[in-house]
Amino acid sequence: MSSDARPRVFVTRNIPDAGLEIVQAACDAEIWTEPLPPSRDVLLEKIAGCDGVLSLLTEQVDAEFFDAAGDQLAVVSNYAVGYNNIDIPEATRRGIRVGHTPGVLTNATADMAFTLLISAARRIVEAADYVRDGAWQTWEPRGHIGLDLCGKTIGIVGMGRIGFAMAKRCHGGWDMSVLYHDQYSNETAETELGARRVDLDTLLSESDFVSVHVDLNETTTGMFNSEAFKKMKTTAVFINSARGPLHVSSDLHEALCDGQIFAAGLDVTDPEPPAADDPLLSQKNCLVVPHIASATVASRNGMAEIAANNLLAGLGRKPLPCWVNPDVDEDNGTAQD
Ligand code: DGY
């Protein structure tokens, strides 16, 4: 890129104006405005020769992607806090900076996890469908019985920012005891919420509700499988607002069908989106929403701003405000003009 040329970037979807305006003011930007993501072939064509890409979780950012973009690619800025769609070691090796959007979606995501928990426990969608279907005839003393939440035990798998925010809601609002499983201890959770760090088996067997908040990686993929569901209480509710492949869909379906657990609330599925005939979708005790945990005005605008600022910093070969790979191999990056 010559010093007077504006950097060329591709934005893989129509993100909020709060971010687009920042990008468009500084770059020669092409924005993909279709509702569905570009096909792989189109994506690889669009990124060829770009200095930066603002990507979404729907894009697989790997060696093929980097090859198609070319050696001048300086930065990939993911419009998400998670970055399991990006091959980070490969980006780092190639000197490509990678950014993400933590913090601004913590409360919205924890709100969604709690919404799923209370909705699944109280069978809200099932009951609303009953009314819509015209089936409501009288007040039913034994109908639509759900679970109590107050004073129960919440099990948080992954006590990071979002796990902590979910635990805080459960403890502060509903007086729940908090168990957590994490490779690190979280002193704030232990001091402020009385949280107890336990092994996964203890968490699964002692929790009334289990909410997962870990990253998706090789060790966490499929961690909620038949074996895990069998260890949970038959009255347990399983909540996943993190990544679909953390649970094994067929095992979850079996656990819900066989009464191994009471209900599940999912913001994420595997695959995503699920097929129309995915058995989980017709399971009454499974509540599924379309990966909308961060879908609030403040969260999405905040994510857009951070993603845009990460992009611009990377184009300038500067530290990214929210940088996934600060250990990037500078020697491999293109020298700044
Ligand atoms: C993320 O940011 O990782 C979410 O899954 C989408 O907001």
Side-chain angles (χ1 to χ4, degrees), residues 57 80-82 105 243 291 294 303:
L57 288 172
V81 62
L105 45 63
R243 287 291 180 268
H291 203 148
S294 65
M303 290 165 68

Side-chain angles (χ1 to χ4, degrees), residues 289-337:
V289 294
H291 203 148
I292 54 169
S294 65
T296 69
V297 176
S299 290
R300 289 285 168 87
N301 284 344
M303 290 165 68
E305 269 182 53
I306 296 175
N309 289 326
N310 281 338
L311 185 78
L312 265 48
L315 291 168
R317 309 256 165 208
K318 301 209 175 86
L320 272 51
C322 299
W323 199 352
V324 175
N325 62 344
D327 53 336
V328 69
D329 185 351
E330 294 284 358
D331 296 339
N332 248 341
T334 315
Q336 196 184 353
D337 285 342

Side-chain angles (χ1 to χ4, degrees), residues 143-194:
H144 315 285
I145 306 290
L147 302 173
D148 293 294
L149 279 90
C150 274
K152 300 288 182 180
T153 297
I154 179 78
I156 302 283
V157 181
M159 189 60 99
R161 277 180 295 255
I162 299 171
F164 178 77
M166 171 64 167
K168 208 169 153 187
R169 282 156 175 73
C170 295
H171 181 72
W174 276 260
D175 205 17
M176 291 190 206
S177 305
V178 179
L179 296 179
Y180 76 102
H181 177 69
D182 197 301
Q183 53 180 322
Y184 305 108
S185 56
N186 185 322
E187 276 179 36
T188 316
E190 293 182 12
T191 322
E192 287 184 15
L193 313 176

Side-chain angles (χ1 to χ4, degrees), residues 120 143 220 274 288 315:
T220 59
V288 184
L315 291 168

Side-chain angles (χ1 to χ4, degrees), residues 10-13 37-38 40 43 53-62 65 78 84-86:
F10 183 58
V11 180
T12 67
R13 212 79 61 78
R40 182 71 176 173
L43 174 70
V53 177
L54 197 152
S55 57
L56 266 64
L57 288 172
T58 37
E59 279 77 57
Q60 205 51 46
V61 179
D62 51 14
F65 178 103
N78 219 31
N84 54 289
N85 58 313
I86 303 181

Side-chain angles (χ1 to χ4, degrees), residues 118-155:
I118 196 165
S119 305
R122 296 300 305 270
R123 305 171 58 182
I124 295 300
V125 173
E126 195 187 326
D129 285 348
Y130 182 82
V131 177
R132 257 199 209 107
D133 293 348
W136 184 16
Q137 293 187 336
T138 183
W139 188 84
E140 299 167 48
R142 289 175 180 245
H144 315 285
I145 306 290
L147 302 173
D148 293 294
L149 279 90
C150 274
K152 300 288 182 180
T153 297
I154 179 78

